[in-house]
Amino acid sequence: MLMLLLITTMVNAQQIKKPKLTVTGTAGVWYEGYGLDLNTHSTPTIYTQRRPWNLVVRFSFQPVVSIGKFSMPFNFNFSPMQNNFVMPFGGGIPGIGTQNLWQLLTNPMNSFGVAPKYKSTQFLLGTQYLKYSTLSTGDLGIFGYGLALSPGNFRFKFFKGVSQRAVNYLAPVIPFPGTVGAYERIHWMAQIGLEKEGSYFAGFNFVKSKDKAGSVTPSPLPSLIDPQDNMIVTFLANTTSKNGWLYNIEVGQSFHTRNQLAPATVSPLKDYKPFINQNISTNRDNAFVTGLTKKGKDWEIGGKMAYYGAGYYSAGYQFLSSDRFEYSVNTRFNAFKKKMNVVASIGQRVGNWSLTSGPKRSKQIIANANVFTQFNDHLSMNVSFNNFGFSAPSITGYKSVSNELSANPTYTWSNTTMSHLISATYTWSKYDETIILPYSFTTNNTHTALLLYVPTFFNKKISPDFSLMWFKNTSIPSLADLTLWSGSIGLSWPISKKLNLKNQLQYNSIKSQAFTANKNIMAIAGFDWKLQKKLSWQYSMNISILRFGTEKPGSSLTPIFAGIPQYIESTLRTGLLYKW
């Protein structure tokens, strides 16, 4: 009996499969080059370079390692060069040397992230993009460490890291523009709550961001940037019912010091601590966002409302427009036996709500609608309209209205050998601006027409496309008059199972007022080559040649250029990509 039990146990143990190790994802190396050739170097320059002269090399490594209930995604995407949003042209600028390891890791143009997860526990290491909610964290890339726990219905998240690396102030040195500089910014964030997926979530968010005042030498100019301090606490809740009701709300309070170096306040508020050390530049304010939606089988209707106090500030949304109240009504429905789909919304935004910028509030009307109709198997039409109006009832009487209407019919047909697609798009945009005191009126009209034809051959490998575009812009009182004609042809040609050629040729004629037109030719050539089963080589070369008309004659340059100014701009991008 004992022997039989032992044999049974051994057999069952052999039947238990061991977790299988799997690796998926991609890895690659990319090279980008830029070139610009001017046929004259007289001043002012006829064209300014748009990208760094330096060769740019980027590496990507994004595998996901999994075994059983354990997974570890990697996200490494970086360039060893000193290029970022603060110093776009990187190396070669006087005063900027080679970046060290810490600068490489915290460069906002780079990502070094690992997020191992086992069951309900996940560790977050390196660069992470974390958005907790609308009023709190935003989606900044932050280099640091943290974790996320989700046992049962309980949720807990925490992360700390650097969202902005320190950049020293650098005075302009011709021809380099210099750098404004930036303080190192440290972020802390946490979330705690309860969640049932697909049903509800309720929890609190805590966010703290603080600049290190002594992190750079010399410091940025005080007139340009100051070391800030910010703390936010929000309550977030959303729920979805079985009968189609969706509700969400978030209420937040922010504590924001615009300048840590400002003098201390005479009468400090006790409830600021321990969140923040206040001074005369510290503000506390509130915000909320809420929405209610009812969903049916073929329809949806809902409303949204939001308020941002004048002093509400989130380091995760640095360009958030505060001191406003807004609301909107949104709907979606199908009609005519589901052949028509309508999506529309209308609302109003009221600025200067707290009257901190004057005795009256500004008003904006925001409306848009999109109607898609499938008339039959061949013909469809999409029509959209957008409206934006703004009025400021101040002594100047400022008012602006922007309207845009677009229509896009598409027709398809086919026979035994090929199919055809013809798509036409017409867009009209108008912007009017009026100022009562002193009186001025500006109107800007734009018309755009695009015609696209795409044939598809059933028995041939080539896939061409043809397009023709017309663009017209007029403005009063500046008398601006710009006309653009553009024609292009593209071709995709898989000459084998491993090699696919991609080419495009485009011609542009750009005419401004009474000047003769600028002529531009653009050519793009590239390929995707599958070198092995998992390894491919991608290549793309873009060349643009522009010859100026009488808009920019050689006689207007110093020294005078006897010929016709023109430039040749080229961009090269190539890389190897490996897929697991």
Side-chain angles (χ1 to χ4, degrees), residues 27-42:
V29 55
W30 304 93
Y31 161 90
E32 295 182 12
Y34 176 81
L36 179 64
D37 181 32
L38 311 178
N39 69 344
T40 173
H41 294 281
S42 300

Side-chain angles (χ1 to χ4, degrees), residues 110 167 312 328 478 573 578:
N110 297 334
V167 178
Y312 192 86
S328 65
S478 65
R573 189 175 192 270
Y578 185 86

Side-chain angles (χ1 to χ4, degrees), residues 218-233:
S219 300
L221 295 180
S223 59
L224 300 177
I225 186 170
D226 296 312
Q228 302 182 49
D229 195 356
N230 182 221
M231 174 70 187
I232 294 177
V233 181

Side-chain angles (χ1 to χ4, degrees), residues 369-414:
N370 189 87
V371 181
F372 175 80
T373 306
Q374 186 73 48
F375 295 101
N376 51 47
D377 293 339
H378 303 287
L379 179 63
S380 65
M381 170 77 80
N382 193 85
V383 179
S384 64
F385 173 77
N386 295 282
N387 171 271
F388 181 86
F390 177 82
S391 63
S394 61
I395 190 173
T396 63
Y398 179 85
K399 182 180 180 180
S400 65
V401 178
S402 175
N403 291 289
E404 181 178 282
L405 177 65
S406 179
N408 171 221
T410 300
Y411 188 79
T412 62
W413 77 98
S414 62

Side-chain angles (χ1 to χ4, degrees), residues 27 38 76 101 303 329 377 445 454 461 474 492 506 512 536 550 580:
L38 311 178
F76 292 175
L101 179 60
V329 178
D377 293 339
N445 274 281
V454 181
K461 295 181 178 180
T474 57
S492 178
Q506 180 173 325
S512 177
S536 62
T550 54
W580 285 281

Side-chain angles (χ1 to χ4, degrees), residues 49-66:
Q49 70 176 89
R50 298 184 298 115
R51 301 184 61 183
W53 291 111
N54 322 50
L55 305 179
V56 178
V57 179
R58 295 198 67 84
F59 299 90
S60 67
F61 183 69
Q62 298 172 314
V64 178
V65 180
S66 302

